[in-house]
Each structure stands twice: as C-alpha cells, then as structure tokens.
Amino acid sequence: MSLTPADLRAAALRTLAPATGVQAALSRLGFVQADPIRAPARAQDLTLMARVRDYRAGDLERLYPTLDAEEDIIPNYGFVTRDVQRLLHPREVPPTRVEREHPGLIADVRAVLHERGEVHPRDVIAALGARRASNYWGGKSQATTRALDALHYRGEARIVRRDGGVRVYGLAPHLDALRADPLPTPDRLRAVVRLLARLYGPLPEASLRYLTSLSGYGLPHLRADLRGALRDALKGELEGARVDGVPYVWAPGDHPGDAPAPRGVRIVNPFDPLVWDRRRFEHLHGWAYRFEAYTPAPKRTMGYYALPLLHAGRAVGWANLSVRGDTLHAQIGLRPGMRRTSAFTAALDRELDRHRAFLNAAQVAVSFDQT
C-alpha cells in the first residue's frame, strides 16, 4: 500500500506520545535540543512539557542533577542521556580559538577545575583574572568561560547544574573511563544515524543527510566516517518509500502506515522534533513555517517566537504566548481557510490550559489574528 502525506503526518505525531516522567521522556527521545530564548519558556522545557503530564517550566533544570542527563551536542546543543553521550566520546578536537588567542589558558582553567572539583564561571574569573576572547558570533566574551566550554566540548568537564541559567562546571570521570575504553567506532556511528532517523523520522532523505552533517559537530574527527555510516544505513538498515516523489526514510519498525489517526490541538516549539525539519513541514503541511526571532520586527509575518499549532495532525497556524501578570496571553494566527469550529475551539482551550499550568499562570486571554 502506498503512503500518503496524511500517513506521514500521523507517524510524525508519535513523537508526542505521553511519557511517565522527565527521565522517561529523555530516555525515549535520547536528545532534547536547548535554546536560551524564553518566549514563553526555553525550548527544552516546551519539548518536555509536550510529552510529560504536569510538567512545569524549569523542571528540567531543577531535576537535572538527579537525572541520567548530560549537556552535549548531537546534532545541536542540548540534553542527552549518558548512553547517547557514549556515542560522542572520546572526541578529538583541534585547538580552539581561545587557545590560539590565550596560550596556556586552558591548562590554567583545567588546574582550577581539578583543584575545586566544581566551578561557576565567576570563580574562574576571580582565580585567573578577567580577559576577553573572540566568540563564535563575532563578538567578545570572557576567555576563561570560553576555556571552560572548550574543556566541556573535549569531555574533560561536564555541566553539573545551572545557577540562574548559568552553567556550573565539574569533573567528568565517566568520560575519563570512556576514553580508556571507548565503544567501537562503527557501532558509535551506526547508532548515531539510527538515533537521528528515529527521533526525527519519518523524514526526507535529504533532511537526514543534513542532520548527519550537523552531527559532525558532535563527532568532529569522524565526519567522513559518519557520512559513510549514513550511506550504509540507507542501503540496508533504514526503511523508506517515495511520497509525492520525495524519498522518505525512517528507523526499522517505525512504518508510517501503523500510526493512529491524530486528534486534538497541539502547540509545539520551533525546535521540537515534530517541526524541526522545515523541508518536511512544508511538504506535509503545504506552507512554510519560519522562525523569526532573528528577523527584524517590521519583516515578521508570524511573530518573534511563533509556536506551530496543529489540529488533527495538520499545522493550521501558530501561537504567540506570553505571560503578563497572572495571565497567559495567547495570540493565535490561523492559515487561510481554517475554520474555528466548536471542536477546534474546545481542543485549543484545553491545550492553552496546559500551557497556563506549565507557566504557572492563573488565567488565559485569547485573541485571533486571521490571515
């Protein structure tokens, strides 16, 4: 039986299956992308809220020291389980910009970390003095903090918790042990490809290639080998089919035709696995969603942090959410032709009430901006 876009939309919705708790959600996903913007909350909290009953904004940060969770990068920066982190280390990294600009600084920061066992960035500044270094965005930032980030990326440090959103660094003995006895490289790469296909699938083959390329930041010394692992997986392990002429792939056992028909209204964040792939989004939903946080305000068509809104599995608009006082304000934009039926309105009210509780607001005020 041939597959349709509706089959793929239903299969994609399986990522929102409810989990029994934060750890269960993390373990099932393997990776949750992080983003610092709070509009109305950080992406990692919104991703978990969509899957964990009674989740509240900030729960991940609060529970993090008790969880099987680490901050790392695959395919972007975020939170992974230690089983997933084992696929990324040992990581061979060339000298960083901060090392070139400040020779010897990494060794000095490493010494402070080993002496204290756990450090806030301000502790290292106090110990070694303030100095500036170039960052990835063309500006300047604290060189000692850049050095801490470099040690974290290398696997010599880990994030032990966050203090008001600021990363606190500690030693990473579990990664020391992994350097001594790493997983075989072919097994690591095969598992990375399988994780991406499962987390973001079913997805266009071109999108899986892009995700694999991004994951090269997590495995910088194995980029070419990772591309080879993807080629092997596409020839063998992964399943796929053409839908509207577009080659789609998915992990074994996740056949799209097995998914139940989606119901209700869901609002998700721009980095959620359900909508992350804009190529898939446009093909399956028939319009282009744009993340406009970095678009000049006069040129925005949806809003600073518009959250995709889905009804019965189809993206029908977006929501801009903000809390002012004790009220969650929801400005809803709907695609042309989308009718505000009683069933849709009731489902939207239920979804907004979930966000109200998530954000600890007392009430919801809704307005519509029909385009």
Side-chain angles (χ1 to χ4, degrees):
M1 182 178 68
S2 60
L3 294 173
T4 67
D7 294 324
L8 297 177
R9 287 195 297 269
L13 261 290
R14 289 189 293 206
T15 185
L16 295 181
T20 55
V22 176
Q23 185 63 69
L26 281 170
S27 297
R28 189 180 73 206
L29 294 169
F31 166 74
V32 174
Q33 185 168 338
D35 190 82
I37 296 175
R38 301 192 197 193
R42 293 190 181 103
Q44 55 267 37
D45 282 325
L46 288 161
T47 295
L48 291 169
M49 173 266 183
R51 294 160 176 82
V52 179
R53 183 181 177 87
D54 297 327
Y55 186 91
R56 299 293 180 263
D59 277 356
L60 176 59
E61 186 173 309
R62 179 177 59 82
L63 295 172
Y64 176 81
T66 70
L67 297 172
D68 170 15
E70 297 288 338
E71 295 192 29
D72 216 310
I73 181 167
I74 175 180
N76 299 289
Y77 191 86
F79 298 84
V80 299
T81 61
R82 286 194 172 184
D83 275 348
V84 171
Q85 193 181 40
R86 291 176 70 216
L87 307 176
L88 306 175
H89 295 271
R91 179 181 285 152
E92 298 176 18
V93 183
T96 61
R97 185 178 299 173
V98 71
E99 290 175 272
R100 294 192 296 270
E101 293 182 359
H102 297 278
L105 181 60
I106 289 279
D108 293 340
V109 172
R110 182 188 294 116
V112 172
L113 178 62
H114 279 266
E115 176 187 348
R116 304 191 182 190
E118 182 178 299
V119 294
H120 188 286
R122 64 171 173 258
D123 300 329
V124 185
I125 294 172
L128 299 177
R131 60 193 90 175
R132 309 296 283 175
S134 302
N135 58 37
Y136 298 117
W137 303 277
K140 295 287 186 178
S141 55
Q142 286 291 344
T144 50
T145 302
R146 302 299 301 163
L148 283 169
D149 289 340
L151 291 173
H152 177 221
Y153 184 53
R154 289 177 173 182
E156 294 187 55
R158 64 179 294 263
I159 308 303
V160 294
R161 68 178 186 281
R162 289 190 177 232
D163 183 359
V166 177
R167 287 177 284 199
V168 177
Y169 299 77
L171 300 175
H174 69 292
L175 294 179
D176 291 338
L178 193 57
R179 275 190 287 275
D181 186 23
L183 293 174
T185 296
D187 293 349
R188 293 168 63 185
L189 301 178
R190 187 164 50 248
V192 167
V193 173
R194 189 164 55 244
L195 168 66
L196 297 174
R198 177 178 54 78
L199 179 60
Y200 294 97
L203 76 169
E205 183 179 311
S207 298
L208 182 57
R209 292 185 185 278
Y210 178 54
L211 281 162
T212 303
S213 175
L214 286 179
S215 296
Y217 292 107
L219 295 156
H221 62 298
L222 296 173
R223 289 177 186 268
D225 303 275
L226 186 56
R227 291 193 295 270
L230 173 61
R231 287 193 298 269
D232 292 342
L234 290 171
K235 292 176 183 177
E237 180 181 8
L238 300 181
E239 301 174 8
R242 285 185 174 269
V243 180
D244 292 344
V246 179
Y248 271 77
V249 292
W250 54 84
D254 290 344
H255 193 276
D258 301 334
R263 301 171 60 186
V265 167
R266 301 303 300 268
I267 297 171
V268 296
N269 80 85
F271 304 104
D272 192 286
L274 180 61
V275 297
W276 185 93
D277 180 14
R278 307 298 193 253
R279 179 186 288 106
R280 181 179 77 171
F281 187 101
E282 190 164 351
H283 175 224
L284 297 187
H285 301 288
W287 56 282
Y289 165 76
R290 296 288 182 262
F291 179 60
E292 298 179 324
Y294 303 109
T295 300
K299 296 184 178 181
R300 291 176 189 150
T301 59
M302 300 177 195
Y304 172 72
Y305 201 81
L307 307 174
L309 184 155
L310 297 95
H311 179 230
R314 184 184 286 275
V316 297
W318 55 91
N320 285 283
L321 305 181
S322 61
V323 176
R324 299 195 295 274
D326 65 351
T327 301
L328 169 62
H329 292 265
Q331 183 178 6
I332 308 298
L334 296 177
R335 293 286 298 163
M338 176 59 195
R339 294 172 50 239
R340 288 160 54 185
T341 64
S342 58
F344 168 75
T345 300
L348 175 62
D349 287 345
R350 288 192 293 271
E351 181 70 353
L352 289 175
D353 193 61
R354 291 180 61 246
H355 282 77
R356 176 201 59 75
F358 163 69
L359 295 165
N360 196 32
Q363 56 191 341
V364 180
V366 185
S367 61
F368 285 88
D369 178 21
Q370 188 92 29
T371 59

